[in-house]
Amino acid sequence: MMRDPINHVTSVNQGTAIDPSLWNKLRDEDKDEASVASVSLTYWQDVSRRFRKNKAAMLGAIIIVLLILFALIGPLLSKHSYEEQNLSFANMPPRFDLYQVGDQYLYLHKNIKLYETTADGTLLELMSKNKEDMVKKQLVYTTISGDVIVDYSKKNTLILKDAKGNTLETVKNVSNQTYLLGTDHLGRDLLTRIMYGARISLLVAVIAALVNLVIGMMYGGIAGYFGGKVDNIMMRIVDVVSIIPLTLYVILIMVVLNSGLLSIIIALGSVYWVDMARIVRGQMLSLKEEEFVYAAKTIGTKPLQIITRHLLPNAMGSIIVTMTMLIPSAIFIEAFMSFIGLGVTAPMASWGTLCNEALESIRSFSYQLFFPAIAICITMIAFNFIGDGLRDALDPRLRK
């Protein structure tokens, strides 16, 4: 607090001096938050602050970071490779029921196979059947504690019995410790293949972002800045490119390069920039009439420098939001192409190919479709959350 300085001013060499004791530090209890001026933030600092306050956007960002770690580090920690096959453990579910016969734990598979496991769910081996009775529809397996019988005489029902014919009951339900998410029809680890599928989806996302930034921004920026005949010719080319379906592009490219990830990449690089070009063109048409553009022209700035140094940075908010919204669409396109057989080739894994392979056994082993499908959904939702958050954060009308 400040004391009245009027009576404490002294004359020193024909000047005035104020007693330093007049100024005291403001006490904490006297501070008034309403009277304290707020800290000034730049535009991008304010964007960062508002983005962090958006819970859905932050959740999406956390999911994408975890997905990146899942794709890059996960395969290094896995005990299985994406192409490793073990037909003995084909179609193993992520959870199963255990039977106990003496000190031995057994798992009865839907395919009328009997497996020896540990008490915690680690798979040991596929047991060999000792005898098969086709009339009674029974299989006999020999264990350490004696014979056990698998009765499959009833439709869609498997019953495990001891040597005396007494029905055995399951003792517990455990997680598959050998294959955490189960295996596919060839005995390949589903979790590892989903990890490699995440790599492909992230690669497609990066390519879509680069294509939109490099081709879409420059193409739309040039068309919007110059206008006139240049704009008409360039946008008619965009119309021609956009009316041809992406599937047809991929098929035509496959004729030359064969099917695979390269075909998808080239197809996305060929046509995926058109939406970004249209949006950037619209931004250029509105910004090129601003005073700072006329000032840049007056001092002799070249058109390319005006576009890259003045116009595109001012349109960066719309560009970032559009790019973020287009990324999940690109991921879905890759998954769809792989699903219909136009994507990556075996044994490489993609979320789309995993869904395609799971269709054959969807009724019996639905988990094989569920896990890659939920991975696609979560990734697309996360990118959409980020896009919505950026759209709100970059809107200057919402700045406080």
Side-chain angles (χ1 to χ4, degrees):
M1 298 179 65
M2 186 180 69
R3 292 182 294 175
D4 186 7
I6 297 178
N7 297 323
H8 294 80
V9 178
T10 60
S11 175
V12 179
N13 296 330
Q14 297 180 353
T16 58
I18 299 178
D19 187 358
S21 62
L22 296 176
W23 305 93
N24 296 325
K25 185 178 179 181
L26 187 65
R27 295 179 299 175
D28 292 339
E29 57 268 21
D30 294 332
K31 291 182 179 179
D32 184 6
E33 294 183 359
S35 64
V36 178
S38 61
V39 179
S40 178
L41 298 177
T42 64
Y43 172 72
W44 289 107
Q45 287 175 336
D46 186 60
V47 168
S48 176
R49 178 183 62 84
R50 284 189 282 143
F51 182 83
R52 293 195 301 268
K53 286 186 176 181
N54 191 320
K55 295 182 180 180
M58 289 302 298
L59 175 62
I62 292 173
I63 291 175
I64 297 303
V65 171
L66 294 177
L67 177 64
I68 293 173
L69 296 176
F70 176 76
L72 298 181
I73 301 178
L76 302 177
L77 303 178
S78 176
K79 298 179 181 179
H80 312 280
S81 62
Y82 71 93
E83 78 276 7
E84 177 187 344
Q85 298 182 14
N86 190 343
L87 295 177
S88 298
F89 294 140
N91 295 320
M92 298 299 296
R95 294 189 66 88
F96 47 76
D97 294 324
L98 288 184
Y99 296 86
Q100 186 173 6
V101 180
D103 296 332
Q104 201 170 19
Y105 290 90
L106 305 175
Y107 162 57
L108 180 59
H109 195 272
K110 291 182 179 179
N111 291 339
I112 322 178
K113 295 180 179 179
L114 196 64
Y115 293 87
E116 182 182 0
T117 72
T118 61
D120 62 350
T122 302
L123 297 172
L124 298 178
E125 63 176 346
L126 172 63
M127 302 184 65
S128 300
K129 60 185 177 182
N130 187 26
K131 184 175 62 175
E132 181 175 5
D133 189 338
M134 301 296 293
V135 178
K136 297 182 179 180
K137 295 184 178 181
Q138 292 180 344
L139 295 176
V140 179
Y141 290 87
T142 301
T143 66
I144 299 175
S145 302
D147 291 343
V148 293
I149 301 171
V150 178
D151 187 343
Y152 58 96
S153 59
K154 295 183 180 180
K155 186 177 181 180
N156 299 327
T157 303
L158 296 178
I159 301 175
L160 189 64
K161 301 179 180 179
D162 59 16
K164 297 180 181 180
N166 299 320
T167 301
L168 299 176
E169 300 293 337
T170 58
V171 293
K172 57 181 174 179
N173 183 272
V174 296
S175 298
N176 190 336
Q177 299 298 321
T178 306
Y179 303 100
L180 296 180
L181 296 185
T183 60
D184 62 6
H185 64 289
L186 294 177
R188 295 173 294 192
D189 181 37
L190 191 58
L191 176 60
T192 305
R193 292 177 66 77
I194 290 177
M195 291 177 182
Y196 278 91
R199 288 185 174 185
I200 294 176
S201 294
L202 291 175
L203 177 61
V204 170
V206 171
I207 291 171
L210 292 177
V211 167
N212 283 326
L213 284 175
V214 177
I215 302 179
M217 283 175 53
M218 293 306 301
Y219 194 96
I222 293 172
Y225 177 78
F226 289 101
K229 293 182 179 180
V230 175
D231 182 31
N232 287 331
I233 294 173
M234 295 182 70
M235 296 315 295
R236 295 301 76 76
I237 295 174
V238 168
D239 293 338
V240 172
V241 172
S242 61
I243 61 176
I244 302 177
L246 180 62
T247 307
L248 181 58
Y249 276 109
V250 178
I251 294 174
L252 293 176
I253 294 172
M254 284 177 56
V255 174
V256 181
L257 301 176
N258 297 323
S259 61
L261 183 60
L262 182 61
S263 300
I264 299 291
I265 292 174
I266 295 177
L268 288 176
S270 302
V271 301
Y272 206 64
W273 51 269
V274 294
D275 291 334
M276 178 64 77
R278 287 195 177 105
I279 292 173
V280 173
R281 170 184 174 269
Q283 292 291 318
M284 295 301 103
L285 291 175
S286 61
L287 290 173
K288 72 178 184 178
E289 303 298 332
E290 297 292 337
E291 289 79 359
F292 66 87
V293 178
Y294 289 117
K297 291 180 180 179
T298 303
I299 62 177
T301 306
K302 295 180 180 180
L304 184 60
Q305 292 178 335
I306 294 176
I307 294 173
T308 56
R309 294 183 181 181
H310 301 285
L311 293 177
L312 288 178
N314 282 279
M316 194 55 67
S318 299
I319 291 172
I320 292 175
V321 172
T322 304
M323 182 185 66
T324 310
M325 291 297 188
L326 289 176
I327 286 176
S329 177
I331 293 175
F332 180 78
I333 289 173
E334 183 279 324
F336 172 72
M337 292 298 176
S338 298
F339 180 79
I340 62 178
L342 301 179
V344 298
T345 55
M348 180 59 72
S350 166
W351 289 343
T353 56
L354 291 177
C355 292
N356 184 25
E357 294 172 354
L359 286 179
E360 299 178 0
S361 55
I362 185 173
R363 293 185 177 181
S364 300
F365 311 106
S366 57
Y367 67 90
Q368 296 179 8
L369 177 63
F370 173 79
F371 290 120
I374 199 66
I376 296 173
C377 294
I378 291 175
T379 304
M380 295 183 64
I381 290 173
F383 275 111
N384 282 320
F385 280 167
I386 294 175
D388 290 337
L390 288 174
R391 181 189 59 195
D392 296 339
L394 290 167
D395 190 347
R397 293 171 297 182
L398 300 178
R399 188 178 183 184
K400 297 180 181 179

